[in-house]
Amino acid sequence: MRILVTGGTGFIGSHTCVALLEAGHSVIIVDNLSNSKREVVSYIEQITGQTVLFYELDVTDAVAVEAIFVKHDIDGVVHFAGLKAVGESVEKPLIYYKNNLLSTMVVAEACIKYGVERFVFSSSATVYGNNLVPFEESMPLLPTTNPYGETKAMNERILTDIVKANPNLAVSLLRYFNPVGAHESCLIGEVPNGIPNNLMPYMTKVAKGEFAQLRVFGDDYPTVDGTGVRDYIHVVDLAEGHVAALEKLTAGVHVYNLGTGCGTSVLELVKAFEEANAIQVPYEIVARRPGDIASCYADSTKAKKELGWVAKRDIVAMCRDSWKFEKEYID
Ligand code: NAD
Ligand code: UD1
């Protein structure tokens, strides 16, 4: 298939392009480079030995998006393009709602107009809110604590309504848990803008000596050791989940958790990172971070049963590859 990948130079998008190319598909990337670099295109080509078409454009620009659909025969879309910084979304809600909702509507509209029936959307486990773990796809969506999370839930509803009106469309809503790690080549990975908010990228910078210590946000949650529990997933596994979702798509809306099904606490992750990499991560316990929940991990049986996909890389591989990327990546 020829797949249009919006946000394809970003963290998850770039790994998914590699997985798609390795599975025999061809890829067209569109990205406005607001949170990624053009060089990623050549890194994807270097890893796979294949050519990738790239267009620098904003997917909220309907005219620019339509021109791509006119020029190319597209079989499916994987829509990653979006803004994802939770704190920034609280400060600049309009920018988040506009970018993350309009982009989906513009791309979906072009799909309908040009008869492109396969559409895969990047959603998030954040839509489960404070449901009881493990999260199952059938659970009701609960309010999230920030505009970023709300854009994910709204996009899911928008796409569901679009499919009701266009029953030929085949849409997969993929709810990611906590992606970490990087491609083994260290050519692509997560390159956060400024001080990282997420645990793994912050921890790798502590290990490197850029920050003195990790702040562990709360040790009084009802979890194994009082610290927050999350379902960390290797980004290469996540990328492979997209290939499976695209290849198995049938008409209608399908929702899948892409997680490992295993919860790991903050302190367990620190210990695993120290052991995997033989390096110390100094930390202090501080107050809970507003908006955090105690536990978030997937029931991943539906993706296994229906897509034949399971995450294969364990927490040791995630810690090793995150650290390797931090050390070897040249910005
Ligand atoms: P990323 O920021 O690395 O990638 C997103 C890409 O989209 C970037 O390259 C950015 O330049 C591009 N982009 C943003 N707005 C655009 C626009 N209007 N037009 C064109 N390009 C645009 O983020 P990521 O971690 O790869 O996440 C990809 C998707 O997955 C996002 O939708 C994100 O919300 C979602 N997601 C990410 C996580 C995570 O932890 N990383 C978790 C759940 C869901
Ligand atoms: C966060 C977002 C979520 C988003 C996800 C993307 C919030 C409230 N939630 O989720 O909407 O989908 O990122 O990956 O921002 N922690 C520390 N110290 C740190 C950083 C984190 O102790 O410096 C803890 C957190 O309290 C949490 C765990 O580590 O228990 C994971 O945090 P993080 O990596 O930020 O991810 P989420 O909170 O799951």
Side-chain angles (χ1 to χ4, degrees):
M1 290 187 277
R2 172 166 290 196
I3 307 300
L4 178 68
V5 183
T6 77
T9 43
F11 173 43
I12 307 169
S14 57
H15 290 83
T16 301
C17 288
V18 168
L20 284 167
L21 291 160
E22 285 175 346
H25 303 289
S26 65
V27 158
I28 303 167
I29 296 177
V30 293
D31 199 300
N32 65 2
L33 303 179
S34 59
N35 197 36
S36 57
K37 295 201 169 126
R38 180 183 291 272
E39 296 87 90
V40 170
V41 178
S42 54
Y43 296 151
I44 294 168
E45 293 181 330
Q46 211 174 310
I47 292 168
T48 60
Q50 297 182 57
T51 311
V52 171
L53 282 175
F54 172 72
Y55 295 92
E56 182 178 346
L57 63 82
D58 195 303
V59 289
T60 62
D61 178 344
V63 175
V65 168
E66 187 162 346
I68 302 295
F69 281 75
V70 170
K71 190 162 180 196
H72 299 283
D73 246 337
I74 295 166
D75 298 301
V77 173
V78 187
H79 178 41
F80 292 104
L83 299 172
K84 62 164 183 177
V86 171
E88 187 184 53
S89 80
V90 176
E91 284 156 30
K92 302 173 181 166
L94 256 180
I95 291 178
Y96 272 68
Y97 284 117
K98 197 172 164 196
N99 192 69
N100 290 4
L101 299 180
L102 192 54
S103 58
T104 304
M105 291 190 263
V106 164
V107 177
E109 196 170 31
C111 285
I112 293 163
K113 186 162 175 187
Y114 292 93
V116 177
E117 290 175 349
R118 291 186 181 83
F119 191 107
V120 174
F121 177 68
S122 297
S123 190
S124 166
T126 196
V127 300
Y128 289 110
N130 210 354
N131 267 295
L132 281 179
V133 284
F135 296 155
E136 285 171 28
E137 289 86 347
S138 57
M139 285 175 163
L141 303 195
L142 294 184
T144 65
T145 52
N146 56 79
Y148 163 75
E150 291 306 294
T151 68
K152 292 298 172 194
M154 287 176 176
N155 267 314
E156 288 201 7
R157 292 190 182 107
I158 290 169
L159 288 165
T160 303
D161 285 343
I162 291 174
V163 172
K164 275 185 202 150
N166 299 272
N168 289 340
L169 281 186
V171 171
S172 203
L173 307 174
L174 302 182
R175 296 179 180 158
Y176 312 155
F177 284 70
N178 290 55
V180 295
H183 191 264
E184 57 178 5
S185 65
C186 289
L187 287 169
I188 53 172
E190 188 172 18
V191 191
N193 244 336
I195 298 174
N197 293 309
N198 296 123
L199 178 59
M200 183 64 96
Y202 198 96
M203 187 156 66
T204 59
K205 296 219 176 287
V206 172
K208 210 176 177 186
E210 281 184 38
F211 302 125
Q213 55 186 355
L214 174 71
R215 289 169 306 147
V216 175
F217 297 138
D219 67 349
D220 57 351
Y221 287 106
T223 61
V224 58
D225 56 19
T227 65
V229 164
R230 297 291 183 272
D231 185 340
Y232 299 95
I233 173 166
H234 198 294
V235 65
V236 176
D237 278 322
L238 189 61
E240 289 168 2
H242 289 73
V243 179
L246 254 180
E247 290 178 347
K248 291 274 161 68
L249 257 181
T250 53
V253 177
H254 309 275
V255 186
Y256 297 105
N257 287 337
L258 294 186
T260 64
C262 300
T264 304
S265 76
V266 177
L267 292 182
E268 285 172 340
L269 192 69
V270 170
K271 190 161 179 275
F273 188 92
E274 291 184 328
E275 284 175 8
N277 299 311
I279 195 162
Q280 294 293 303
V281 179
Y283 68 85
E284 62 170 336
I285 308 286
V286 300
R288 290 181 177 194
R289 181 173 63 179
D292 272 355
I293 57 173
S295 295
C296 168
Y297 54 90
D299 178 324
S300 50
T301 49
K302 189 176 175 205
K304 183 179 181 186
K305 196 167 152 226
E306 294 186 12
L307 304 178
W309 171 88
V310 282
K312 296 189 278 255
R313 294 156 182 89
D314 64 9
I315 211 85
V316 175
M318 297 181 218
C319 291
R320 187 195 59 216
D321 292 346
S322 295
W323 176 229
K324 191 166 170 246
F325 182 74
E326 180 69 50
K327 282 188 305 179
E328 293 180 20
Y329 176 72
I330 301 162
D331 202 356

